[in-house]
Amino acid sequence: MPLVNMKDMLQHAYHHGYAVGAFDLVSLDFLEGIMIAAEQARAPVILSLAESHFEYFDFEVVMPAVEAAARRALVPVAIHLDHGASPESAVQAINHGCNGVMVDASNLDFTENTRVTRQVVDTAHACGIPVEGELGYVPGVEGEDAENHPGDVSYTSLAEAKAYVERTGVDFLAVSIGTVHGRMKGKPKLDYQRLKQINENLEIPLVIHGGTGLSDDQFRRLIANGVTKINYYTALSDIAAKQIRKNARANVSSSYTALLKDINHAVAAEVERCMRLWGSAGRAAEVLERCEPWEPVEHMIIYNVEGIDDIDVEKMMAEGRRVLATIPGVLDVFTGEAVQNDASYRYSWLVRFCHAAVIDSYREHPAHIAFADNLFRPVAGKRISIDFQTVTPAAIQNHGEHEARKRIMS
Ligand code: 13P
């Protein structure tokens, strides 16, 4: 259950003056380490997946593990696409379970960045999902070789930030104020005055990319000026690599599993240190209480067909599975045939939406309209269609309170 709405999570952090860590993960050891730390520190956490890292793991295969780790956690968790390459990447991430997305169009000029980001916002918001935009250039690419991709910092300007947020409707803004991705030579000089002005004018959660290498004092000053989400990766990668070298030294003929031993705990120690420093430790309970639980909605249709044979029914279903799965916010499309021969309804669709907002955006989506009008409705006779949401303990509690209020008022 503790997957929560990421916008609620970051709003809480913004209004209570702390920052949530968004830790990029590249393996199950990282996932375990981040979750061990979050539970140990009782901290809300963002599991972050950077598109540039998809060459190291199969995103589609890893996402169910990420979601399972989030759902069984005792602390609030959000799952975020970091540095998505295109609006299509955002849809892919949403449909695989991310409930926050960033498409990085900051390399484009202001007009193009605004246009692309607006497109992502329209799509994501129709799925109930918040969006992070970036303005300005944080040198390096997210990853270990940032030193080799220097480039000059392009600072976020206040005027552009105001126009960008207004025109795109982003929920969080990543700003460039002097940090760089990855390892760095020397200490970066951060422009706190610029950050302060942006924060005072925008009043939305701000994001810092390039958390590695900043001092405790720099983190404190960033957070005091509206930074609410801190992206962190290279330090974790260095710590994991150091652990592997230590394991190798301990036994030159180490097996694969022996080489990877304790990476999770080494990563956890650093993540926990960050959580305590950034003020998110100990916040889990209050965040859980204030955030919308992130639960899918099951769109269920049971139906009979008229005028087509079994082969054409299967063709229609196959086309539905193909087309409907591409609609933003659709996690899964199941088509079924009744096990019992005498069932009142022979066939079913079970389409899983990531959020209740998708009930409307799915119905109005051109791909759904075309499929429903041309292939489904003409052959579907008697049918029932219902959207179901999970009965969560919170929903039971709200219902209990609602019933109690009704009794008091009557
Ligand atoms: P670091 O690798 O410098 O911690 O930055 C991570 C990052 O910003 C990912 O988006």
Side-chain angles (χ1 to χ4, degrees):
M1 200 272 272
L3 250 186
V4 299
N5 186 314
M6 183 167 148
K7 183 164 180 171
D8 293 349
M9 180 194 270
L10 290 186
Q11 284 293 341
H12 185 272
Y14 187 71
H15 292 296
H16 291 81
Y18 67 92
V20 179
F23 302 97
D24 281 325
L25 61 93
V26 287
S27 73
L28 295 184
D29 288 319
F30 275 59
L31 174 60
E32 260 183 62
I34 296 164
M35 292 313 302
I36 290 170
E39 301 221 317
Q40 187 68 27
R42 288 179 292 112
V45 67
I46 297 171
L47 297 171
S48 186
L49 295 108
E51 186 161 350
S52 61
H53 291 159
F54 290 2
E55 63 182 292
Y56 307 131
F57 58 87
D58 186 331
F59 177 66
E60 197 176 327
V61 170
V62 164
M63 275 304 286
V66 173
E67 190 172 341
R71 290 214 177 273
R72 76 171 186 191
L74 299 172
V75 296
V77 183
I79 305 174
H80 183 67
L81 171 71
D82 188 24
H83 292 283
S86 65
E88 293 73 33
S89 306
V91 174
Q92 191 204 17
I94 290 169
N95 289 11
H96 284 108
C98 288
N99 68 343
V101 290
M102 178 220 191
V103 167
D104 185 354
S106 63
N107 56 328
L108 305 174
D109 67 28
F110 178 78
T111 311
E112 265 307 280
N113 185 356
T114 304
R115 186 187 65 75
V116 172
T117 308
R118 174 82 237 180
Q119 187 185 339
V120 174
V121 168
D122 286 344
T123 305
H125 283 186
C127 301
I129 287 181
V131 176
E132 171 185 334
E134 177 166 330
L135 198 57
Y137 176 64
V138 175
V141 291
E142 67 290 349
E144 293 131 78
D145 59 349
E147 285 170 310
N148 304 324
H149 299 77
D152 287 331
V153 182
S154 160
Y155 289 90
T156 307
S157 89
L158 173 60
E160 282 195 347
K162 274 163 86 170
Y164 178 79
V165 170
E166 215 172 87
R167 289 179 206 167
T168 59
V170 289
D171 304 276
F172 327 119
L173 180 68
V175 289
S176 174
I177 53 129
T179 59
V180 305
H181 287 107
R183 297 185 202 97
M184 55 205 319
K185 296 185 186 82
K187 191 175 165 191
K189 258 184 75 60
L190 305 186
D191 190 340
Y192 297 109
Q193 194 50 33
R194 179 182 298 267
L195 179 65
K196 184 169 188 287
Q197 280 182 353
I198 294 173
N199 181 37
E200 285 172 355
N201 280 272
L202 297 188
E203 296 186 324
I204 64 168
L206 301 177
V207 180
I208 281 295
H209 284 248
T212 296
L214 299 179
S215 69
D216 293 5
D217 185 54
Q218 285 176 318
F219 280 128
R220 279 191 205 100
R221 293 183 72 182
L222 290 171
I223 295 166
N225 288 295
V227 168
T228 305
K229 172 175 176 277
I230 297 174
N231 286 19
Y232 204 72
Y233 169 67
T234 307
L236 303 183
S237 165
D238 286 349
I239 284 167
K242 195 169 154 202
Q243 182 65 36
I244 294 172
R245 282 193 291 272
K246 188 174 156 198
N247 293 339
R249 273 198 306 275
N251 178 357
V252 280
S253 54
S254 287
S255 64
Y256 171 76
T257 47
L259 281 174
L260 299 188
K261 191 167 175 302
D262 285 338
I263 290 180
N264 53 359
H265 291 112
V267 166
E270 175 62 4
V271 169
E272 189 176 340
R273 184 189 74 82
C274 292
M275 289 170 161
R276 298 200 182 277
L277 180 63
W278 301 342
S280 60
R283 297 282 189 174
E286 58 192 291
V287 172
L288 264 182
E289 209 173 273
R290 287 185 181 76
C291 292
E292 177 194 28
W294 192 261
E295 292 291 345
V297 163
E298 306 280 353
H299 174 65
M300 196 195 78
I301 300 176
I302 47 177
Y303 64 102
N304 289 319
V305 295
E306 289 164 355
I308 56 170
D309 60 21
D310 286 355
I311 292 178
D312 284 339
V313 172
E314 176 40 39
K315 276 193 198 152
M316 182 267 290
M317 285 176 161
E319 181 61 5
R321 289 194 298 272
R322 191 185 68 76
V323 168
L324 301 177
T326 64
I327 297 176
V330 171
L331 301 173
D332 191 30
V333 183
F334 168 87
T335 50
E337 181 172 5
V339 176
Q340 289 82 9
N341 284 331
D342 59 351
S344 311
Y345 293 90
R346 186 95 233 112
Y347 300 107
S348 72
W349 294 102
L350 197 54
V351 185
R352 183 173 307 130
F353 300 151
C354 68
H355 186 267
V358 183
I359 296 171
D360 289 339
S361 55
Y362 172 85
R363 193 187 313 112
E364 290 151 18
H365 194 280
H368 172 256
I369 294 175
F371 174 73
D373 285 354
N374 299 328
L375 294 179
F376 179 63
R377 291 192 184 117
V379 298
K382 194 173 150 210
R383 61 182 183 269
I384 293 178
S385 171
I386 302 177
D387 298 301
F388 289 94
Q389 61 185 15
T390 314
V391 180
T392 59
I396 293 168
Q397 193 184 333
N398 290 343
H399 179 70
E401 284 168 9
H402 178 69
E403 290 299 305
R405 262 200 305 277
K406 269 199 329 206
R407 275 199 301 278
I408 291 165
M409 288 169 78
S410 63

